[in-house]
Amino acid sequence: MGDDRRLDVLRAIVEDYVATSEPVGSRALVERHSLGVSPATIRNDMAALEDAGFIAQPHTSAGRVPTDKGYRVFVDQLSTVKPLSGAERRAIAVFLENAVDLDDVVDRAVRLIAQLTQQVAVVQYPSLRRSALRHIELVPVGPRQVLVVLITDTGRVEQRTVEAAAEVDPSVVAVLRARLNVGAAGRRLTELRTALADVEQGFEPADRPFVRSVVELIEQTLAQESEERVVLAGTANLARTGVDFARSLGPVLEALEEQVVLLRLLTEMAEDQAPVAVRIGRETGHDGLVETSFVTTGYGDESGSSVARIGAIGPLRMDYPGTMSAVRAVARYLTRILAG
């Protein structure tokens, strides 16, 4: 849509409808916005927008509401997102930086987005499939027992215990720790089997069963923990929005319970070129979410690569600039914490 004036009219309709939840008429646009044209011109613009499918009239004699297509134009034309206040930024930093481990970070992040946006918050857990090993620690905890600690570049920690058939020499544990870190540190799951394949060859035959058991445990742990999952918070916010979902909340809640649906959407949205991706209504590709919009962005390390996504799901009538700003801000702090 190339007409700047009609784009201004559409923007005003979206903003008013988000703010009031009431269909917007030409008189309201004249009173609330300085559009610089007569009411008759605005009515003509609204008629053109309706003919093009950007707005619709829900009832006879009612004002107009944005359609999915109208929201899409509005979002695509956003040049800036609503900035967070200094107090909000400080609150985000303090809240997230007080986390004690990755689980706590994820839990705090999802609750924070739900609070900031008053919508359903979604945080994709950093998967070991996309993570790299930062360090492997081996800690003797008994004559035949060794604790294996795996630390990823996203701060995730996995611990398992190996029990050897015979007493383990601490010097063997020290050598194995060094060789594992040389071979595995910085490598992703798909590269590890090759990297660890020859580790046991440098040990005496009597020590190789123990070495082999440690390597197998590492591989099994990474395979078991590579399944992706998402964490939700703020589901009750959907009932507080004041939005009348035409088909009730049931289909929306059912869709949110299906992790495979959310993971598919997050994966697809990771391909978007925009820093903050938005799926509106039918763009979600799921019948249960046709009355919602999904705003996400990636988080990961400060080099710009993303290990997972974070976002918010709310009604079509959402505050897009504010939601996009909150999601992006939390993602930035999350990236900073994980990179540190």
Side-chain angles (χ1 to χ4, degrees), residues 4-23:
D4 289 343
R5 190 187 66 244
R6 287 177 182 171
L7 185 60
D8 289 340
V9 172
L10 175 61
R11 185 183 299 115
I13 291 172
V14 172
E15 291 173 352
D16 280 8
Y17 185 58
V18 168
T20 68
S21 76
E22 297 292 336

Side-chain angles (χ1 to χ4, degrees), residues 287-306:
D287 288 344
L289 298 176
V290 295
E291 295 182 76
T292 67
S293 288
F294 197 4
V295 176
T296 73
T297 192
Y299 71 92
D301 60 47
E302 294 186 322
S303 69
S305 62
S306 174

Side-chain angles (χ1 to χ4, degrees), residues 205-243:
D207 298 322
R208 289 179 185 177
F210 164 68
V211 173
R212 190 180 307 119
S213 65
V214 171
V215 171
E216 290 175 350
L217 180 69
I218 292 171
E219 292 176 347
Q220 291 169 4
T221 300
L222 294 176
Q224 291 170 357
E225 299 299 329
S226 64
E227 182 178 349
E228 299 182 15
R229 59 191 175 100
V230 295
V231 181
L232 300 180
T235 306
N237 286 335
L238 286 177
R240 301 192 190 106
T241 60
V243 176

Side-chain angles (χ1 to χ4, degrees), residues 132-149:
L133 278 180
R134 177 182 293 170
H135 185 71
I136 298 176
E137 187 59 56
L138 303 181
V139 183
V141 292
R144 295 189 301 146
Q145 290 183 321
V146 173
L147 179 66
V148 180
V149 183

